Amino acid sequence: MNVWKIKKMIPSIIFLGAPFLLLAYLRIQGNTLLDVFVILLAMCWIYLSVEDILKLSVPSIPLNLISLLTLLLAVLQRQEITSYLIILALIVFIFSLIWAANVLTKKSLMGLADFIVISSLAFTLRPDLIGPWLLLASLIPLIALLISKDKKNEKLPFIPYLTVSWMLIFTLN
């Protein structure tokens, strides 16, 4: 990686690093294997976020592996079965809204990887935190677009925003 790419990545490193440090600081105090697992998993999501920022795509094998590990975290958290069912219903509702938006705009607004990320990360949150998580994940890029005048027609990597907002919301979980 040359110096220009490193300089270009500094804002992304700060953007991803600050919520990670908050999550890691709060989780390391728990001092359990589950807390270490959450920190390692957050690092994996940061890796996928960087891939998405650099290439506007993510490798499928790491995406699927990290998603499975995230679902394992959801199982290890031992929520009630009704919570998982509510989360599933929310995911179906969200995907239905996105599908309707795709049909109305005749554009693909999200990639398959974004759907996988939303599905796997949502199961690690309480049902009442999914709305704030997705709202935060949507507001952050909207604010960035409003501030920047020259990026209105570019594709945006959504995984970094999902990851950052998940790390912030997960601290409330």
Side-chain angles (χ1 to χ4, degrees):
M1 188 178 280
N2 64 26
V3 174
W4 174 249
K5 284 187 180 179
I6 292 172
K7 283 184 179 180
K8 187 179 175 185
M9 286 298 299
I10 289 174
S12 298
I13 292 168
I14 294 169
F15 174 72
L16 292 164
F20 172 75
L21 290 175
L22 176 66
L23 177 74
Y25 174 74
L26 293 174
R27 283 287 160 175
I28 205 72
Q29 293 177 13
N31 214 12
T32 67
L33 284 177
L34 188 62
D35 292 318
V36 173
F37 184 59
V38 168
I39 293 168
L40 293 174
L41 201 55
M43 291 169 59
C44 292
W45 283 112
I46 289 173
Y47 158 72
L48 285 178
S49 297
V50 170
E51 286 287 323
D52 199 24
I53 290 168
L54 293 175
K55 302 174 185 171
L56 288 176
S57 68
V58 292
S60 60
I61 292 174
L63 172 66
N64 292 329
L65 181 63
I66 293 167
S67 294
L68 285 174
L69 290 172
T70 304
L71 291 174
L72 175 64
L73 171 64
V75 170
L76 293 174
Q77 288 176 313
R78 299 181 186 179
Q79 295 186 50
E80 293 182 16
I81 191 72
T82 54
S83 292
Y84 292 120
L85 293 174
I86 292 169
I87 293 168
L88 182 61
L90 287 170
I91 290 171
V92 169
F93 178 71
I94 292 163
F95 289 172
S96 298
L97 288 176
I98 295 168
W99 174 80
N102 285 344
V103 169
L104 291 173
T105 61
K106 297 179 182 169
K107 292 181 181 179
S108 179
L109 300 175
M110 287 177 54
L112 178 61
D114 298 324
F115 288 105
I116 294 170
V117 172
I118 289 171
S119 297
S120 57
L121 289 177
F123 278 104
T124 65
L125 298 174
R126 293 190 326 249
D128 63 320
L129 292 178
I130 292 175
W133 167 55
L134 292 175
L135 181 65
L136 186 60
S138 301
L139 285 178
I140 295 171
L142 183 62
I143 292 168
L145 280 175
L146 291 174
I147 292 171
S148 172
K149 297 185 187 321
D150 58 356
K151 294 184 177 182
K152 299 233 188 290
N153 292 325
E154 286 185 25
K155 285 178 83 176
L156 284 176
F158 195 44
I159 293 174
Y161 300 111
L162 289 168
T163 301
V164 164
S165 55
W166 175 77
M167 286 188 287
L168 292 172
I169 295 294
F170 196 83
T171 59
L172 303 174
N173 203 20

